[in-house]
Amino acid sequence: MFYAQLAVNGLVQGLVVGLGALALTLVFGIARFPNAATGDTMTFGAYAALTVHKASGSLALGSIAAIGGAAVLALLAYLTVFKRLAGRSVVSLLVASIGIGFMIRAGLGVAFGHQQQVFNVPLSRPIRVAGLAINPLDLQLAAVAAVALAAVFAILYLTPIGRQMRAVADNRDLARVSGIRPERVMTAMWLITGGVSAVGGMMLGIKTIVSPEVGWEMLLPVFAATILGGIGSPVGAVVAGLVLGVAQEVSTPFVGFTYKIALSFVVLLAVLLVRPRGLFGRIEGVR
Amino acid sequence: MKTTRREFLGSIAAGAALVAAPSIVRAQGADVIRIGALCPVTGVGGPYGSGMQKMIVAAAEAVNAAGGASGRKIEIVSEDTQTNPQAAVLAAKKLIEVNKVQAVLGTWSSGVSLAVIPLTNDAGIPLMHCSGAPALSVPPANAKGLGFRFQATNDRFGRAFAEICEKEGFKRPATMAFNNASGIGNTEGFTKAWKAKGGEVVESVVYEPNQASYRSELMKVLAANPDVIVTGSYIADTTIILREWFQTGQPVKWVIPGWAANPQLIEALGAEVTEGIISVDSVSNEGAEAFKAYDAAYQKAMSQAGTNNVYAAMTWDMMTVLALAIEAAGTADMAAVVAKLREVGNPDGKQVSTFAEGKEALKAGKINYEGASSVLDFDQHGDVTPDFGAYFIEGGKLNRRYVVQI
């Protein structure tokens, strides 16, 4: 029961990481570069939600503002920077994304200050389910994440644009000769990426605090989950986020709290040694 | 935050004007001692930094008004650490290499001071700081004896925690520490002092920064059924931990350092969650004459009572005691000045409270500066021992119930 409780503790953290990893992996799969601004897009979403929540008192309105705002922000980053750099080496895109992340972080710092802010949500006692203490707020956040994930996977697997996105991710050249317009796919992908980051950022903000650095500091676990899940695999990213979150918490009785972060990287190493493409990744031929 | 940034820009502008105005430069000539005021004007230290910097300037003005130290005027060059070691190192480099300052005053947060001290050591100039990490007392950080600490060490904080826990009658303390030199220093200092009193610590946890949740850490600590949890923590992690603790519903008391349990924390969590938390902070030497002089200067500069910023009283003392040492040494050669710091700060000698008074008394013999922040007696490591206040959070307000001495 003790371990089950630890696992529950890890699930919520895993969901935040998983959402970040989903945003990262979508860009990785389709635009083919690691987007280091993912964390800061999450922070932007958290601030957008916080501002609207303070003004209106409604978390629902806050999340709509966060998703909308961050989606537009991600699209703007694409239109102004990444689009112009398309076809350059991965390194130039990566460095550009670090720069964009830096600008977002600095902008938030100037606009909101560096002091921490919090969502004023009512605190509630946990409910007991079969001996497990579960926080109602966590349940709500998990539900929000589940809805967001369902929406993303519905777009990816049930709509024409989703099919086109997956086609580009699979084989860009083949997609192009089949008449898929990269422009539309990219626009859709960046909007989704921004929205997913925003949900992750908002969850993180509600669970912890909001400061300009919160998203940036999540970047390492997000990258780890992306790699573990198999680069470019949306399902893998979410599952890997959850696996890492739960593995970290369940390991604490054995390795202590100081080394739990290292442990998630041990899991990552072990999986990659046995399965270099990640949990859900596919082997790609070198072109 | 907005005000402090504006004030900071103002101070830059003022500094720039000072440098640009040729008349001032000519007036001061070569007989000027430049001192760097390197304070956390922005970042986590933002609530304190601006006042700290202004008190260095104000104390320097008092020195200059009294005719300067050993016949030289003091000139302050201000920089912002952003409460960030990287930014602090860049600013310190600029102060030392471009402005050629003779001392760096006012760094805050252990990470910043630990990053800056190698630079001041290499330059052979003193660093006066308000950081708690025990590592700053000893080599390698303080290998040359040029580091002077005006804040209590984390170890002393730990001892104060133990005094307060004993006074409050707690029997089963547990500790939670942020994994850095300062956080662990606090809880280890507490554990050492508590065990010396014959007590036992029922559980201790060291946790990592930037986690989305500290529930597993809390589970482990609360499972030991402590009656009080003593922390070495910062505001962000304290916010998350207290929120999650409150949601568990298990009653326990908290003893938390003052830089984490501050009005910002109450604002973030509300009066209900924070009710009864004991916040421990060093207190200024409030009965002293020196404190009155500082308080007047602080009210003039910040339109607030001097008790609002313990660190500003420390920076006031830094400038004053440094100027007294320069006066006593009769030279701006820092090796000679540093050798005099203990002589002008520690007993025995005539007790003095201001630079002017000290300058006068130095003509007759030895002096002992009794500071605004503490009695300011440096030990062999360059550390001081301030008093500590136990502030209880009651109805969303921090009320100081008593002062403990260690």
Side-chain angles (χ1 to χ4, degrees), chain B residues 17 28 55 72 81 130 133 174 236 239 324 345 352 382 395-396 404:
Chain B
Q28 296 191 332
M55 286 307 102
R72 297 168 177 83
T81 65
C130 314
T239 309
L324 284 170
V352 296
V404 289

Side-chain angles (χ1 to χ4, degrees), chain B residues 156-242:
Chain B
R156 285 174 170 84
F157 262 93
R159 269 149 62 193
F161 290 172
E163 288 295 326
I164 289 166
C165 284
E166 190 182 34
K167 204 171 155 106
E168 294 298 316
F170 293 126
K171 295 279 178 274
R172 296 176 55 80
T175 65
M176 290 184 84
F178 186 97
N179 192 8
N180 75 358
S182 165
I184 295 175
N186 272 353
T187 56
E188 280 185 351
F190 168 78
T191 304
K192 215 163 58 184
W194 185 254
K195 285 191 172 151
K197 289 177 187 296
E200 58 150 349
V201 175
V202 294
E203 185 63 88
S204 58
V205 158
V206 175
Y207 60 84
E208 290 300 303
N210 308 323
Q211 299 294 296
S213 161
Y214 291 103
R215 201 169 301 154
S216 304
E217 285 84 342
L218 270 169
M219 262 170 67
K220 184 166 180 213
V221 168
L222 291 173
N225 267 318
D227 54 5
V228 64
I229 298 175
V230 176
T231 74
S233 58
Y234 291 92
I235 177 143
D237 38 294
T238 307
T239 309
I240 303 164
I241 288 172
L242 286 178

Side-chain angles (χ1 to χ4, degrees), chain B residues 131-156:
Chain B
S131 306
L136 281 159
S137 300
V138 289
N142 203 13
K144 291 186 168 179
L146 291 169
F148 289 87
R149 186 198 312 262
F150 286 65
Q151 161 72 312
T153 59
N154 293 121
D155 190 61
R156 285 174 170 84

